[in-house]
Amino acid sequence: HSGYPRRFDCSDAILDADTALNVLHDYVAKTTRLTSADVGLFCEGKGEAAGTLRSICVPTPQGVLELCSEHVEGTWHAAAEGRATKALEAFCLLVPEDRRAKLKQRQVEERLFAFAAVLRLVEDGFMTTQFQPTQDACHNTLEACGPYSAPCSQQQLGARFEADSTAVTAKPVGEIEQPLQPHKPASKLDFKSELNQLSQSRRWQLPSYSCERLAEQRFQ
């Protein structure tokens, strides 16, 4: 398959660079219930390559799919149908100037990688030609690729729970100050219930397996 924007058989959907980035963020959210940043979707280089993308790591029901820059270069070479040898050159050739004029380098790179990633997801059967994750992807991706820290480490979350569970009340003048004691849940079940309530009140996306793991650590 080649050409840009990309069209698919038996579908009226059209894929371009902007659409691909939005589609990919939506895919990650629906399959992992996390953000692209939470799952480490875009991977930067190190050393002299720091600040530039070197690969994209897409969660799938068969594990993390990593596409390197060489794969992205090949995808855009095919999209340009031989009229450009480099991905950036192809991007400038194929994407209208008004769509790319205000884009920063990182924004361009994300679109280059996202376009290649969505095409691969469709090709591998993890996404439909209407750009929706398949049932397999929705049900099995998190188990195949997780656990992810969401969105902070479990140690940080446990510390936040202890801090937020400590009751702080004003003391009447002259009353002897007593050391504050952290709230101690009576059982693992109580701990999991309170942790779920806390995560919801703070709008943290905390998967059930993280609650279970924290509870096991607390009451081991």
Side-chain angles (χ1 to χ4, degrees), residues 1 3 20 39 62-63 66 78 86 94-95 103 112 122 125 129-130 133 145 151 167 178 180 186 195 200 206 218 220:
H1 298 286
V39 303
Q62 294 183 7
E66 182 173 11
K86 296 292 185 179
L94 299 171
V95 178
L103 295 177
L112 292 174
V122 173
T129 54
Q130 292 293 333
C145 301
Q178 297 295 327
L180 294 174
L195 187 57
Q200 292 172 6
L206 184 64
R218 180 64 180 271
Q220 62 184 0

Side-chain angles (χ1 to χ4, degrees), residues 5-196:
R6 188 65 55 86
R7 292 173 170 81
F8 302 89
D9 296 335
C10 304
S11 173
D12 58 356
I14 299 176
L15 185 70
D16 61 19
D18 290 327
T19 302
L21 186 59
N22 292 329
V23 164
L24 195 57
H25 287 316
D26 183 64
Y27 168 88
V28 170
K30 289 180 177 177
T31 56
T32 68
R33 294 172 289 282
L34 297 169
T35 68
S36 297
D38 292 333
V39 303
L41 183 67
F42 295 107
C43 305
E44 293 187 2
K46 298 180 180 180
E48 295 182 356
T52 62
L53 297 185
R54 63 173 177 82
S55 66
I56 186 169
C57 295
V58 188
T60 80
Q62 294 183 7
V64 176
L65 170 67
E66 182 173 11
L67 302 179
C68 63
S69 56
E70 288 78 10
H71 179 89
V72 175
E73 292 285 343
T75 298
W76 281 90
H77 176 75
E81 299 178 317
R83 292 178 292 162
T85 57
K86 296 292 185 179
L88 182 57
E89 181 184 352
F91 185 85
C92 293
L93 176 67
L94 299 171
V95 178
E97 183 176 0
D98 63 329
R99 298 281 293 275
R100 55 182 168 81
K102 296 183 179 180
L103 295 177
K104 298 179 180 179
Q105 178 183 336
R106 176 58 179 256
Q107 294 173 314
V108 171
E109 290 180 346
E110 289 182 353
R111 284 160 174 76
L112 292 174
F113 278 82
F115 183 76
V118 171
L119 288 178
R120 181 62 180 271
L121 288 172
V122 173
E123 179 183 337
D124 288 352
F126 303 136
M127 182 183 289
T128 71
T129 54
Q130 292 293 333
F131 308 142
Q132 294 299 316
T134 61
Q135 290 296 313
D136 182 28
C138 287
H139 294 156
N140 300 314
T141 294
L142 191 57
E143 181 178 355
C145 301
Y148 292 106
S149 297
C152 55
S153 70
Q154 293 185 18
Q155 291 79 6
Q156 290 173 318
L157 187 57
R160 288 187 184 184
F161 178 80
E162 293 290 355
D164 288 354
S165 298
T166 301
V168 179
T169 57
K171 298 291 183 179
V173 176
E175 183 173 333
I176 298 175
E177 184 74 21
Q178 297 295 327
L180 294 174
Q181 297 297 324
H183 170 64
K184 300 294 185 182
S187 67
K188 183 168 71 173
L189 184 61
D190 291 338
F191 181 83
K192 289 168 60 178
S193 176
E194 293 178 23
L195 187 57
N196 275 318

